[in-house]
Amino acid sequence: MTDILLQIKDLHTFFYTAGGVVRAVNGVDFSIHKGGTVGLVGESGCGKSVTALSIMQLIRPPGRIAKGQVIFEDQNLLEFSEAKMRHIRGNRISMIFQEPMTSLNPVHRIGDQISEAIWLHKDLSRRSALDLSVELLKKVGIPDPERRIHDYPHQMSGGMRQRVMIAMALSCNPKVIIADEPTTALDVTIQAQILDLMNRLKQDFGASILLITHDLGVVAEVANSVVVMYAGRIVEYAGVKDLFDEPKHPYTLGLMNSIPKINEPIPQDKILQAIPGVVPSLLNLPPGCAFQERCLHRFDLCCKEDPSLFDVGGTGHLVRCWHFEK
C-alpha cells in the first residue's frame, strides 16, 4: 500500500495574454507522502504559488490548467466540479496564504472567520464552531483567546495574524496543508516560532505539508524532501539531506552559494556569489535549457535541447541538466 497522499502529474498551467502564452507551470511532477513535508523553492515568478493554486483549482482567467493530474486519495481533483471542490478546500486540503493581512477579511471578527469554515464543513452549530475556534487559537499560541476571537485583523500583529491563518487551516483537520510563504515579512524570532508551531501541529494533527518558500534555511529546518523550480519547471528534486549535502543543478548551487554562512566569515575583499543574468521571460524562453543563458557550465547541447529530469545514480535524486544524462 502506497503512502503517497497527494501526487501532481505532468501539471501545465498557462496564462493566455495579449502578448502570448505564459507557461507559468510547465510539466511539474512531485508527490507528498503521508505525514511528510515537501519544500517547494525558487525565485519569485518561478511558478511556486501557481502550482499551489492549481492544486486547489483556484486559477482564474486568463489562466487555465491546460494539462495534468492532481491525485488526492485516488481521485483526480482536476476532474472535480466547483461544487465538489468546495468540499475539499478548507476541509481535506487547506491553504495558508502568503499575506495574512490581505487574506483575512478586515470587516469580520477573527472568531467569525475561523468558525465559518468549521460550520460550513462540519455538522456543528455556530456556537459550537465558535467554541472550537477558541480551542484552535489556544493551540496556535494566541494568549487570551476568549477575548481575541472578538478582535478584527488590524488589532493583531503580523505574527498573530499568521497564527490565525494556521488556526483556520487546521480547523477541519485537513490531510494536506499548503503553506505559501508562511514566514514572509515576519522577523526572525517570529519566523522561528511559526516554524516550530507548524512542526508541532503537523505531529499533533497528522497532516502533510507543502511548504512554498524562497528561503532555503526554512526548508532545511522543516522539510523531508525539496522541489527546486525555475521558469515553471522542476530543475531538482531530492531528499532534504541529499540536496543540502550534494546539490547538483547549477541553479541550486547558485542559490546555495548566494547565502551567507554564519560560521564562515566573508573576507572584506570577497563578495557573495551571485547568479549572473536575469530570469528569462516566460513569454520568450530561450531554446534548450531555460537556465542555459545564466549557467557557467553550459555546452552546445544545453542551447539546443531541453533536458529531462535525470535520476542521478538511481538514487531518486532528480536533476534537469545535461551534465547528469548518464
Side-chain angles (χ1 to χ4, degrees):
M1 183 177 176
T2 180
D3 67 343
I4 293 176
L5 184 60
L6 182 69
Q7 190 170 18
I8 290 82
K9 295 182 176 181
D10 197 28
L11 182 65
H12 294 71
T13 302
F14 300 161
F15 289 81
Y16 298 87
T17 70
V21 179
V22 177
R23 301 175 187 272
V25 174
N26 194 13
V28 164
D29 296 84
F30 65 91
S31 302
I32 302 174
H33 292 258
K34 293 176 183 176
T37 299
V38 174
L40 184 57
V41 303
E43 293 173 89
S44 297
C46 73
K48 305 186 301 295
S49 294
V50 175
T51 298
L53 293 172
S54 299
I55 293 170
M56 301 290 281
Q57 279 204 49
L58 290 174
I59 299 295
R60 297 292 178 258
R64 182 164 63 86
I65 299 172
K67 181 183 175 185
Q69 294 179 301
V70 176
I71 307 297
F72 176 65
E73 297 183 333
D74 299 322
Q75 294 181 295
N76 183 8
L77 298 185
L78 300 187
E79 295 177 350
F80 281 23
S81 65
E82 177 60 24
K84 201 170 180 181
M85 274 304 297
R86 280 198 292 268
H87 291 288
I88 298 292
R89 296 189 202 111
N91 185 21
R92 308 294 289 165
I93 305 177
S94 288
M95 188 163 178
I96 303 169
F97 290 93
Q98 197 169 67
E99 292 291 343
M101 193 59 202
T102 55
S103 300
L104 292 169
N105 192 317
V107 299
H108 289 288
R109 298 179 192 275
I110 292 299
D112 294 334
Q113 296 190 55
I114 300 173
S115 60
E116 181 182 20
I118 298 170
W119 66 258
L120 277 173
H121 292 295
K122 303 295 182 184
D123 188 19
L124 292 175
S125 66
R126 287 180 181 264
R127 179 68 255 175
S128 297
L130 198 61
D131 291 341
L132 182 55
S133 300
V134 173
E135 291 302 312
L136 286 165
L137 290 184
K138 282 182 183 176
K139 283 185 181 295
V140 298
I142 290 183
D144 196 10
E146 293 85 358
R147 180 177 64 84
R148 299 312 296 258
I149 61 168
H150 301 294
D151 284 355
Y152 291 95
H154 73 271
Q155 294 175 285
M156 291 185 157
S157 66
M160 292 183 76
R161 287 194 293 267
Q162 195 61 278
R163 290 170 187 267
V164 169
M165 292 293 295
I166 293 171
M168 290 176 70
L170 292 168
S171 61
C172 296
N173 293 332
K175 293 288 186 181
V176 178
I177 299 170
I178 300 173
D180 190 358
E181 302 277 10
T183 57
T184 297
L186 302 178
D187 65 57
V188 291
T189 304
I190 303 300
Q191 280 187 28
Q193 292 175 3
I194 294 296
L195 292 174
D196 180 64
L197 172 65
M198 289 180 66
N199 260 336
R200 181 162 44 83
L201 293 174
K202 185 182 81 167
Q203 301 299 324
D204 294 346
F205 285 80
S208 302
I209 296 176
L210 175 60
L211 176 65
I212 299 169
T213 183
H214 60 269
D215 190 333
L216 288 168
V218 169
V219 170
E221 185 75 21
V222 300
N224 304 115
S225 57
V226 188
V227 177
V228 182
M229 287 188 71
Y230 182 80
R233 308 200 77 177
I234 292 175
V235 295
E236 190 159 3
Y237 183 17
V240 67
K241 188 175 188 305
D242 286 344
L243 188 105
F244 281 88
D245 285 351
E246 294 187 69
K248 305 290 187 185
H249 196 279
Y251 176 63
T252 310
L253 285 163
L255 292 177
M256 299 280 193
N257 290 333
S258 66
I259 301 172
K261 296 174 178 61
I262 196 168
N263 59 341
E264 296 179 15
I266 302 172
Q268 291 186 355
D269 60 344
K270 185 180 178 182
I271 60 174
L272 286 173
Q273 295 182 40
I275 302 173
V278 295
V279 180
S281 167
L282 295 178
L283 283 168
N284 187 28
L285 288 170
C289 174
F291 189 64
Q292 52 101 345
E293 292 182 345
R294 307 177 70 187
C295 184
L296 302 177
H297 308 286
R298 69 176 179 266
F299 57 102
D300 289 346
L301 186 58
C302 303
C303 305
K304 296 174 183 176
E305 294 183 37
D306 188 18
S308 302
L309 277 170
F310 301 116
D311 189 340
V312 182
T315 61
H317 190 144
L318 305 179
V319 187
R320 190 181 299 280
C321 179
W322 285 118
H323 284 281
F324 296 94
E325 181 184 11
K326 296 179 182 180

